[in-house]
Amino acid sequence: MKIIVPMAGRGSRLRPHTLTVPKPLIPIAGKPIVHRLVEDIANVLNKDIEEIAFIIHKDFGDKVADELVAIAEKLGAKGSIYYQEQPLGTAHAIMSAKESMSGPVVVAYADTLFRADFTLDTTADSVIWVQQVDDPSAFGVVKLNDRNEITDFVEKPKEFVTDLAIIGIYYFKSGETLRGELQYLLDNNITKGGEYQLTDALENMKQKGMKFVPGKVDHWMDCGNKNVTVDTNSRMLNFLHQDGQNLVSPSAVLENSTVIQPCFIGEGVKLVNSTVGPNVSLGNNTTVQDSTIKNSLVQTHTTIVNANLDNAMIGNHAVFNGKFTAVSIGDYSVLE
């Protein structure tokens, strides 16, 4: 089994956090989004992962490429890096990794997380991960027949046809077949809005009689902007806490401080006269003093003093003093 992970650019909706760290590498409950994604896919598939192919933009740099390869190796898989030079759509991005497209493959976009418990139908030509949503008009959705097979793909329906939204994770029994269909789009310049779309390949495959079935997830968590990323961090902390995982590092130092679970407290964190939690992640070597923090995501090597934070997201190597009078703030920063 192989996993192909198209990763978008740094992401304007999560600035300033994505100016230095690509969105898929922002930690959720102490682990990068893309790491959690491929780990959860591996758990659902319950199969050995041979290779994880990451498709990135060249401006991510060598350090990011090395981190992604290390994520794959932690799962016992080969890590491969491919580059999409131009943003020409989902099909074009996936085809950037055509050399890795053989045998059973999973395609997963790296800005979403999920929780699911289902058995993969390996008799199907493709499984498309879906979740029921309240407002289907905002998503691409699938229609099912009475045999639980996908009969149609509908992009952002204006009138209700189904509430099963496509979350951006796909299984294909044959990577070679997928590659051939994507190549057909490129060879014949079949685009929508100037971009080559995976959904066009899916439609062509369905018209040829291939069997598509849904993989229904229990929870779907977005990481598209600051508010939903903080909410996803909170939800993931609760799931991991319910699973019985201890997310407080034994190297953390608490001086006259309280941690209200669930929380992730990284290595070398120091809390002084503070209350942290619930639903807080503190990255490695962060210091919190004389503060109260809840429902927040703080990355590494950051210092927070005299603060009362709720629904906050703070990056790496930041200094925040709640009693500030002098301010040094870079591009795209927000104080509310």
Side-chain angles (χ1 to χ4, degrees), residues 225-236:
N225 59 45
K226 172 258 178 179
N227 284 336
V228 297
T229 301
V230 171
D231 179 65
T232 290
N233 179 70
S234 296
R235 292 174 66 186
M236 184 59 70

Side-chain angles (χ1 to χ4, degrees), residues 56-308:
I56 64 177
H57 193 276
K58 60 183 179 180
D59 71 358
F60 279 21
D62 292 340
K63 183 175 183 294
V64 168
D66 291 343
E67 290 179 24
L68 293 171
V69 169
I71 286 172
E73 291 175 347
K74 287 179 181 177
L75 291 171
K78 173 188 175 185
S80 300
I81 302 296
Y82 296 94
Y83 297 92
Q84 184 189 25
E85 300 298 333
Q86 295 178 286
L88 295 178
T90 54
H92 181 269
I94 296 165
M95 277 298 284
S96 299
K98 61 184 178 182
E99 288 86 356
S100 297
M101 213 175 298
S102 61
V105 300
V106 170
V107 175
Y109 295 103
D111 58 357
T112 188
L113 293 172
F114 70 95
R115 300 284 282 188
D117 182 16
F118 66 85
T119 301
L120 186 70
D121 182 355
T122 55
T123 67
D125 295 294
S126 177
V127 178
I128 299 178
W129 272 248
V130 298
Q131 191 197 27
Q132 289 182 295
V133 294
D134 294 331
D135 181 15
S137 66
F139 304 96
V141 298
V142 299
K143 294 177 66 174
L144 306 179
N145 61 19
D146 55 7
R147 297 187 300 275
N148 197 44
E149 297 172 348
I150 295 172
T151 60
D152 201 6
F153 308 101
V154 184
E155 184 63 29
K156 297 181 179 179
K158 294 181 180 179
E159 296 182 358
F160 182 86
V161 291
T162 171
D163 60 359
L164 293 177
I166 300 170
I167 73 169
I169 306 175
Y170 311 80
Y171 162 81
F172 298 94
K173 184 164 64 175
S174 169
E176 292 87 352
T177 299
L178 173 63
R179 183 177 62 204
E181 294 294 341
L182 297 178
Q183 190 66 55
Y184 177 82
L185 300 182
L186 271 61
D187 290 345
N188 293 277
N189 198 32
I190 299 173
T191 63
K192 287 182 179 175
E195 295 186 342
Y196 301 95
Q197 300 295 346
L198 173 61
T199 49
D200 287 330
L202 298 179
E203 183 62 33
N204 289 343
M205 294 165 74
K206 182 172 65 68
Q207 292 297 332
K208 293 178 179 179
M210 296 184 186
K211 178 184 175 183
F212 288 76
V213 299
K216 296 182 180 179
V217 303
D218 302 314
H219 302 277
W220 174 25
M221 294 162 281
D222 188 18
C223 301
N225 59 45
K226 172 258 178 179
N227 284 336
V228 297
T229 301
V230 171
D231 179 65
T232 290
N233 179 70
S234 296
R235 292 174 66 186
M236 184 59 70
L237 286 170
N238 277 272
F239 291 137
L240 298 174
H241 185 65
Q242 291 167 13
D243 291 344
Q245 294 192 32
N246 178 20
L247 301 178
V248 178
S249 170
S251 66
V253 176
L254 278 65
E255 297 181 5
N256 191 34
S257 296
T258 302
V259 173
I260 303 173
Q261 295 289 1
C263 284
F264 169 82
I265 309 295
E267 296 179 3
V269 167
K270 185 175 182 180
L271 306 181
V272 181
N273 300 325
S274 297
T275 299
V276 172
N279 306 322
V280 173
S281 287
L282 299 179
N284 296 345
N285 301 306
T286 283
T287 297
V288 178
Q289 182 174 339
D290 300 318
S291 299
T292 299
I293 306 176
K294 59 183 179 180
N295 306 314
S296 296
L297 173 56
V298 180
Q299 297 188 48
T300 66
H301 298 88
T302 286
T303 299
I304 299 173
V305 297
N306 304 315
N308 186 358

